[in-house]
Amino acid sequence: MIYLQLFWEFFKTGLFAVGGGLATLPFLYDMAARTGWFSAGQLADMLAVSESTPGPIGVNMATYVGFTSAGVGGALVATVGLVTPSVIVIMIVAAFLKAFRDNRWVNAAFYGLRPASTAMVAAAGVSVVLLTFWNSAAEGLAKLNWKAAVLAVVLLVLTRWVEPTRKLHPIVFILASAVVGAVLGF
Amino acid sequence: MRELLDLFLTFAKVGVMTFGGGYAMLPILQREVVENKGWATDEELTDYFAIGQCTPGVIAVNTATFIGQKKRGIPGGITATLGVIFPSLIIITALAGVIAKLSHLAVVQHAFAGIRVCVCVLIFNAVLKLWKSAVKDRWALCIFLVVFAGAVFLKISPVVYVLAAGVTGILIEMIRGRQR
């Protein structure tokens, strides 16, 4: 019963992904490897679409992955699965708002959780990098996709250091990269 | 009922206007929820955001649940959440079908190869931003390095890292308490 499985997988993702939409990425990679519902390559494309369409990234990703795995019903089930733990947790937290924020042990747990969450997103980033620049595993400079590497450096400079472009919305860079990719034949 | 509908529509509007999520939606929430509707103050919104970041799940959804439940209890929280996910469901489902049909075209594949490069850079930038708020001292750096190495080289469910890191955070606090 794929709907039940999808609900459960996304329920877990929603429960354990701490720190916003991109924190769901490591869970989705894990899901791709275990279930085979979609590939890591598809995931990278879904992320690109999710970043450049309206809606929070995490919700878009859940809808997209759900749709890819099991059609419209899958999209619905995955998205509802993702938000169910949030709704339950927030309802509980809202009742003890002040106590939650000031609790020493809650803060201590999150002190440990935040670097772990950052590390998992970084690790998921590494697999996207391998896929993008080497088509799977790092095989040295000879097999590096040079065009992609040059584009990456240009994007990095534009999104981090050049003043007028730094503040532009990511969708601008995504669309520009699509055009560059299509024209230069990546 | 009218109030629930209002919650649904307002948060659907917030969902449509959010691109990317996270902090991108703060100004939109300020305009819709604080200024137009008066459902929360700026301070409350900042609090919800801070808590949304350190509770599980998507921040946009957490904030919607908070405001909805403050306004109309549990049904309000659920309605606001359904509102914020509604546009994603429609837009992504419609788009996914089109993209799946076009994906065999060479030009589309090249375009996505270009987009992936951009996604790498965006993830890199996001990690740097997370790093600033997460890795503030040596202990946190240790947790980062251990989890990073584990996540790259071992095939363990991310759930394990999350639970272990939470427990580690509490243990570190206990050690610090003893040293004080």
Side-chain angles (χ1 to χ4, degrees), chain B residues 1-174:
Chain B
M1 201 58 215
R2 291 243 350 222
E3 259 186 305
L4 287 181
L5 187 67
D6 199 14
L7 270 172
F8 182 88
L9 291 177
T10 304
F11 278 96
K13 198 170 162 192
V14 171
V16 171
M17 290 193 291
T18 303
F19 269 87
Y23 283 109
M25 74 180 289
L26 190 55
I28 296 159
L29 277 171
Q30 271 167 340
R31 201 175 59 212
E32 290 302 318
V33 175
V34 180
E35 286 164 29
N36 288 355
K37 298 286 178 185
W39 286 341
T41 63
D42 270 325
E43 288 75 35
E44 282 173 318
L45 199 59
T46 317
D47 273 4
Y48 295 159
F49 237 69
I51 294 168
Q53 264 189 325
C54 60
T55 41
V58 181
I59 298 169
V61 171
N62 293 351
T63 313
T65 311
F66 249 124
I67 295 169
Q69 93 91 36
K70 185 194 166 217
K71 196 82 194 72
R72 283 303 306 266
I74 292 173
I78 294 172
T79 308
T81 304
L82 290 178
V84 93
I85 65 176
F86 182 71
S88 296
L89 279 172
I90 303 292
I91 295 167
I92 295 288
T93 308
L95 233 103
V98 176
I99 293 172
K101 283 211 183 75
L102 298 178
S103 63
H104 64 280
L105 297 175
V107 82
V108 174
Q109 283 170 5
H110 290 315
F112 269 105
I115 289 176
R116 277 185 199 179
V117 175
C118 189
V119 168
C120 290
V121 173
L122 293 178
I123 293 178
F124 179 75
N125 289 342
V127 167
L128 283 188
K129 210 184 260 172
L130 287 173
W131 173 282
K132 276 182 201 148
S133 66
V135 185
K136 286 180 171 159
D137 54 29
R138 246 180 268 172
W139 286 101
L141 180 64
C142 287
I143 295 174
F144 176 89
L145 292 175
V146 170
V147 174
F148 182 74
V152 168
F153 295 109
L154 304 175
K155 290 246 172 289
I156 303 176
S157 164
V159 175
V160 176
Y161 297 115
V162 170
L163 294 177
V167 171
T168 308
I170 290 171
L171 290 176
I172 291 170
E173 176 65 19
M174 286 168 83

Side-chain angles (χ1 to χ4, degrees), chain A residues 128-135 143-156 177 180-181 184-186, chain B residues 110 112-121:
Chain A
V128 184
V129 165
L130 293 181
L131 191 75
T132 305
F133 298 99
W134 283 279
N135 228 340
K143 291 233 174 105
L144 177 76
N145 183 341
W146 283 102
K147 286 188 228 169
V150 171
L151 177 60
V153 172
V154 171
L155 286 171
L156 201 58
S177 306
V180 171
L184 297 185
F186 271 35
Chain B
H110 290 315
F112 269 105
I115 289 176
R116 277 185 199 179
V117 175
C118 189
V119 168
C120 290
V121 173

Side-chain angles (χ1 to χ4, degrees), chain A residues 97-108:
Chain A
L97 186 56
K98 206 169 152 39
F100 180 84
R101 281 206 75 176
D102 300 337
N103 187 286
R104 180 182 167 201
W105 303 112
V106 170
N107 285 329

Side-chain angles (χ1 to χ4, degrees), chain A residues 44-66:
Chain A
D45 295 348
M46 290 192 255
L47 182 59
V49 174
S50 299
E51 292 239 32
S52 40
T53 44
I57 299 179
V59 176
N60 288 352
M61 289 294 282
T63 307
Y64 208 155
V65 168

Side-chain angles (χ1 to χ4, degrees), chain A residues 1 6 35 76 103 113 137 148 170:
Chain A
M1 189 60 195
L6 265 175
T35 64
L76 195 63
N103 187 286
L113 275 176

